[in-house]
Amino acid sequence: MADNKPNLLIIPGDGIGPEVIRETSRVIEWFETNRKVTFHITHGQLGVAAYHDVGAMTPDNTLDKARKADAILFGAIGGDGYEDIPIEVRREDGLLALRKKLGLFANIRPAVAFDELLDASSLKPEVVRGVDLIIVRELSSGIYFGEPRGIEDLGNGIQRGFNTMQYTTPEIQRVARLSFELARGRRNQLCSIEKSNVLETSKLWRAEVRKLHQAEYSDVDFKELIVDAGAMELIRNPKQFDVIVTGNMFGDILSDAAAMLTGSLGMLPSASLSEEDESGRRNAFYEPVHGAAPDIAGNDIANPLAAILSFAMSLRHSFDAEAEAELLESAVRNAVAGGNRTADIKGDATQTISTTQMTDAVIDSLNRLAA
Ligand code: NAD
């Protein structure tokens, strides 16, 4: 690379991925034209379409580009044809494998309830008004990766499916440390969620996070919840949470529940980060929390805001552009405040707009804010 521009790899993926990434690219262009943030942009394939095109869900050249990228912006994987790909291929070559190869151990998932969208939430407005929390989900270990795993034949037509839930001390410490640091930059509260009343993995998790709190982060207001109580509290009184740290599977489930606080999966961005290398560089992967949404793909009705907000997270966490991240988040908020609603966040609105029109509204807000 001849210039000093950071490397941004864009991977649209499957289903609504290409639609929401196409729209996010328009927002990226706006920043390149109107702000001093420019990128060396490359594109890659990943997912079902890639598997059918070149026989690999993550083609080698995508992996090469991913290793060199300062940030990766991804749409979604899955949908039509996904289930037909052998499970071993999906496991060894799909999104989970890429996360593992890039060492993406921390998945940061903010859930912010916009006042303007309270009517789109299935919960009462007084419960969700003011919700501003982050779930940090451990992403590269736990039951999704533990070995042994499989389905074995026990004879007589009986099979046994089994997985291994596991965490090591360093795996717990690094995700807990990142979460304590995030909390310090916000309202200084961290809640660790596990199942230590039943699972040995969680007993170790609890002991390690507690130790770290006492040794290095005693200034952080810290509490612990068992996952079933945590799920209940997230719905009963979500405003009590600032940062939540939890394991891979619990985080997967709790963050989708948190989506409903904000009104729709279509509003939730995420960032996945690796550890820093000696030069302070991290691998960083930004993607909406939602999947390929095959039920609405190709109709220009998907909500692009989760993808656009994922780009905002990249401005903050990878490109040292906090002011631009805040500008984009304000533009999204203003677009929604102006009554612009895709179908998933329709709430009490009488009209809905398309994916493209929602992006038009965000760009219009950016122009107004920058004027
Ligand atoms: P999904 O997130 O794709 O969709 C769930 C529901 O939310 C659907 O009704 C969908 O229409 C709606 N939805 C999702 N995103 C939306 C958006 N931006 N705007 C409007 N509505 C939206 O989850 P699913 O249906 O369980 O899974 C579909 C496929 O996606 C499966 O193959 C699954 O494995 C895959 N998946 C991928 C990821 C990922 O790429 N990280 C995440 C979850 C699921």
Side-chain angles (χ1 to χ4, degrees):
M1 195 178 70
D3 49 51
N4 280 331
K5 292 180 190 173
N7 269 312
L8 173 62
L9 171 62
I10 297 181
I11 307 177
D14 301 318
I16 61 170
E19 296 170 53
V20 297
I21 290 299
R22 178 195 69 218
E23 296 305 308
T24 306
S25 296
R26 294 175 57 207
V27 172
I28 296 172
E29 275 167 33
W30 186 93
F31 276 91
E32 292 203 300
T33 308
N34 295 282
R35 291 274 159 154
K36 286 190 186 128
V37 281
T38 50
F39 307 101
H40 182 73
I41 296 178
T42 54
H43 292 87
Q45 278 187 302
L46 194 162
V48 180
Y51 184 73
H52 290 303
D53 275 4
V54 296
M57 294 192 82
T58 310
D60 286 347
N61 68 349
T62 299
L63 187 58
D64 287 348
K65 287 178 189 171
R67 290 193 200 282
K68 289 181 197 136
D70 295 298
I72 301 160
L73 181 66
F74 178 64
I77 186 172
D80 295 341
Y82 185 63
E83 305 294 329
D84 304 332
I85 300 174
I87 192 162
E88 303 75 34
V89 174
R90 282 188 259 154
R91 194 165 68 222
E92 303 300 327
D93 192 32
L95 183 58
L96 256 62
L98 182 68
R99 287 171 177 163
K100 184 86 179 170
K101 285 172 192 159
L102 295 179
L104 304 171
F105 71 93
N107 181 218
I108 302 171
R109 295 184 165 195
V112 180
F114 292 179
D115 277 358
E116 301 79 14
L117 275 185
L118 295 184
D119 56 320
S121 173
S122 50
L123 298 186
K124 291 181 193 148
E126 60 268 29
V127 175
V128 283
R129 184 175 289 111
V131 165
D132 177 0
L133 61 87
I134 289 182
I135 296 183
V136 182
R137 166 189 171 195
E138 199 291 327
L139 200 61
S140 59
S141 185
I143 194 164
Y144 291 179
F145 291 96
E147 298 282 350
R149 61 192 294 160
I151 300 175
E152 67 179 1
D153 227 327
L154 300 180
N156 297 327
I158 299 171
Q159 291 185 303
R160 185 178 81 99
F162 56 99
N163 290 88
T164 303
M165 192 166 193
Q166 54 160 35
Y167 273 113
T168 64
T169 311
E171 285 170 347
I172 300 166
Q173 286 173 345
R174 65 182 179 180
V175 75
R177 181 168 278 113
L178 183 139
S179 306
F180 277 119
E181 293 289 341
L182 262 183
R184 270 187 180 161
R186 291 169 46 94
R187 300 194 301 279
N188 210 32
Q189 296 166 11
L190 181 70
C191 178
S192 172
I193 296 188
E194 23 69 1
K195 187 75 184 169
S196 54
N197 55 338
V198 176
L199 300 170
E200 282 72 13
T201 325
S202 286
K203 276 198 181 109
L204 181 67
W205 180 285
R206 177 171 282 218
E208 288 304 325
V209 181
R210 219 177 246 194
K211 236 190 287 176
L212 194 64
H213 175 239
Q214 283 160 4
E216 295 177 40
Y217 295 98
S218 56
D219 58 303
V220 178
D221 180 7
F222 175 64
K223 69 177 174 186
E224 295 155 326
L225 282 175
I226 300 295
V227 65
D228 36 347
M232 184 195 70
E233 289 297 330
L234 194 61
I235 304 303
R236 190 186 70 82
N237 177 19
K239 269 177 272 191
Q240 69 184 288
F241 295 109
D242 179 16
V243 180
I244 292 172
V245 61
T246 188
N248 205 339
M249 183 167 65
F250 299 151
D252 194 4
I253 298 165
L254 292 175
S255 58
D256 267 30
M260 283 303 104
L261 308 172
T262 70
S264 168
L265 270 175
M267 296 299 298
L268 285 191
S270 81
S272 303
L273 305 176
S274 74
E275 290 186 79
E276 286 182 352
D277 64 17
E278 312 78 54
S279 68
R281 182 195 163 281
R282 293 180 191 272
N283 288 325
F285 194 88
Y286 299 90
E287 60 177 322
V289 168
H290 63 72
D295 51 336
I296 58 167
N299 294 319
D300 196 33
I301 57 170
N303 185 345
L305 296 182
I308 290 172
L309 289 169
S310 299
F311 172 62
M313 289 189 83
S314 77
L315 289 168
R316 172 170 296 124
H317 293 289
S318 289
F319 299 124
D320 197 20
E322 176 65 29
E324 279 71 21
E326 287 177 17
L327 176 71
L328 182 50
E329 285 163 354
S330 299
V332 166
R333 194 178 275 262
N334 290 355
V336 172
N340 295 292
R341 303 296 177 92
T342 42
D344 58 307
I345 51 170
K346 181 168 180 277
D348 298 334
T350 48
Q351 279 196 329
T352 60
I353 58 172
S354 68
T355 313
T356 315
Q357 288 167 324
M358 182 58 105
T359 315
D360 294 343
V362 172
I363 291 175
D364 192 43
S365 297
L366 281 169
N367 284 330
R368 283 169 203 266
L369 287 167

